[in-house]
Amino acid sequence: MRIALCDDDKMEQEQFIRALHGWDADRMPEIFTSGQELLEAAKVFPPFDIVFLDIYMPMENGVDVAKSLRKISPDSGIVFVTNSSGHAVEAFSVNALHYLVKPVTVNGIRESFLRLTTLRNSRRERSVLNISVGKDSYSLYMDEIRYIESANHATEILMQDGRIYRVWTSLNELSGKLDGNFLKVQRGIIVNMDYIEQMGMDSCILRDGTRLLLSRSDRLSIRTTYDNYAFSRLARMQDEKMGGYR
């Protein structure tokens, strides 16, 4: 497990380590004194499991560092550590696991790792697409991918939150790694059917308003595949709803 602590104060670093060892004496964090150091280290595989990040650092805002970290390592758990609760609302805008007010305690550490375990359990059954972008590796949850598109001899993966990953892997190779939620609507585009708002005769419209043309030669089979998928999803939702009444 990779644990990171980003805090420029030596005494606070020592206090954190004492609290961490009070929870688990065998754990040792990687320590960074600036957000830039942390972000560079986050590019190394495997990603950090959990990052304890001070909000107040010289010339840096920890929330901004966290936003950059999310782009590099979206699955790392982030715990903000600070002297004040003034940034709590802003901190949770980046889906932070926890918000600890200094001094960090054993109970605070324990609660942070408990939340990390709960989060991972909730993600366990989600399908993952592993990709490489240059020297960096990423694990993307397929249910967060809107669509994948060929672009200038590369392939772009467009996420629901606006992130775009550009990989030098062919669309056909990626398609073999996708789950059954994805549908090839034309030669260079594969769409996550969960993000289709409307299926028309010659195009489909995604939830964000993006309109994608359907392949002329395969329009009938594309619409049939989507109709079957939509019907199965509706039936599944009805079963889950009825299960709640039993």
Side-chain angles (χ1 to χ4, degrees):
M1 172 178 281
R2 287 188 76 192
I3 302 170
L5 169 64
C6 187
D7 193 319
D8 65 305
D9 189 301
K10 181 68 174 179
M11 292 183 63
E12 299 290 357
Q13 294 171 11
E14 294 173 352
Q15 170 63 35
F16 175 88
I17 293 173
R18 285 195 295 271
L20 178 65
H21 286 173
W23 171 71
D24 187 335
D26 294 327
R27 302 290 183 186
M28 192 65 194
E30 297 176 45
I31 298 177
F32 307 95
T33 58
S34 73
Q36 189 58 44
E37 290 179 1
L38 171 68
L39 295 176
E40 286 301 315
K43 296 176 183 178
V44 178
F45 189 82
F48 288 115
D49 295 272
I50 189 167
V51 175
F52 293 85
L53 178 59
D54 188 8
I55 287 184
Y56 300 104
M57 292 181 290
M59 308 300 292
E60 290 181 308
N61 182 317
V63 176
D64 291 336
V65 173
K67 291 177 180 177
S68 296
L69 178 62
R70 272 280 173 259
K71 297 177 182 178
I72 298 171
S73 181
D75 296 328
S76 295
I78 297 175
V79 178
F80 287 101
V81 184
T82 184
N83 291 312
S84 168
S85 59
H87 283 272
V89 174
E90 186 181 4
F92 282 102
S93 69
V94 293
N95 298 319
L97 277 178
H98 205 7
Y99 191 100
L100 301 179
V101 177
K102 297 178 181 179
V104 176
T105 64
V106 176
N107 286 337
I109 294 289
R110 182 182 294 111
E111 175 64 21
S112 297
F113 280 92
L114 177 61
R115 294 189 182 198
L116 178 64
T117 299
T118 300
L119 177 64
R120 286 183 164 179
N121 288 340
S122 70
R123 291 174 169 174
R124 186 166 293 168
E125 296 181 358
R126 297 170 69 187
S127 299
V128 171
L129 175 66
N130 296 308
I131 63 170
S132 295
V133 181
K135 296 180 179 179
D136 302 321
S137 298
Y138 301 90
S139 295
L140 309 180
Y141 287 110
M142 293 190 197
D143 59 9
E144 295 180 357
I145 299 173
R146 289 188 296 130
Y147 65 96
I148 303 174
E149 180 178 20
S150 295
N152 298 323
H153 307 293
T155 304
E156 292 184 347
I157 303 171
L158 294 89
M159 309 297 291
Q160 66 170 354
D161 60 4
R163 284 176 290 144
I164 299 176
Y165 294 91
R166 187 178 179 86
V167 299
W168 298 101
T169 304
S170 70
L171 190 68
N172 285 337
E173 184 176 344
L174 283 180
S175 67
K177 301 177 181 180
L178 300 173
D179 61 27
N181 286 16
F182 289 83
L183 173 65
K184 190 173 185 178
V185 296
Q186 57 175 271
R187 184 178 181 182
I189 299 180
I190 298 175
V191 176
N192 186 336
M193 289 185 280
D194 280 342
Y195 289 88
I196 296 178
E197 182 72 24
Q198 180 181 345
M199 177 63 75
M201 295 298 295
D202 61 357
S203 64
C204 63
I205 299 175
L206 306 188
R207 294 182 202 166
D208 64 352
T210 300
R211 182 174 179 265
L212 301 172
L213 294 176
L214 307 183
S215 168
R216 285 179 177 272
S217 60
D218 297 320
R219 285 176 183 172
L220 179 58
S221 63
I222 290 170
R223 291 197 301 269
T224 299
T225 299
Y226 176 72
D227 287 345
N228 291 337
Y229 174 80
F231 179 80
S232 297
R233 182 176 61 180
L234 179 61
R236 202 164 52 242
M237 291 171 63
Q238 289 293 334
D239 287 342
E240 292 173 356
K241 183 176 180 180
M242 292 303 295
Y245 293 128
R246 295 182 187 132

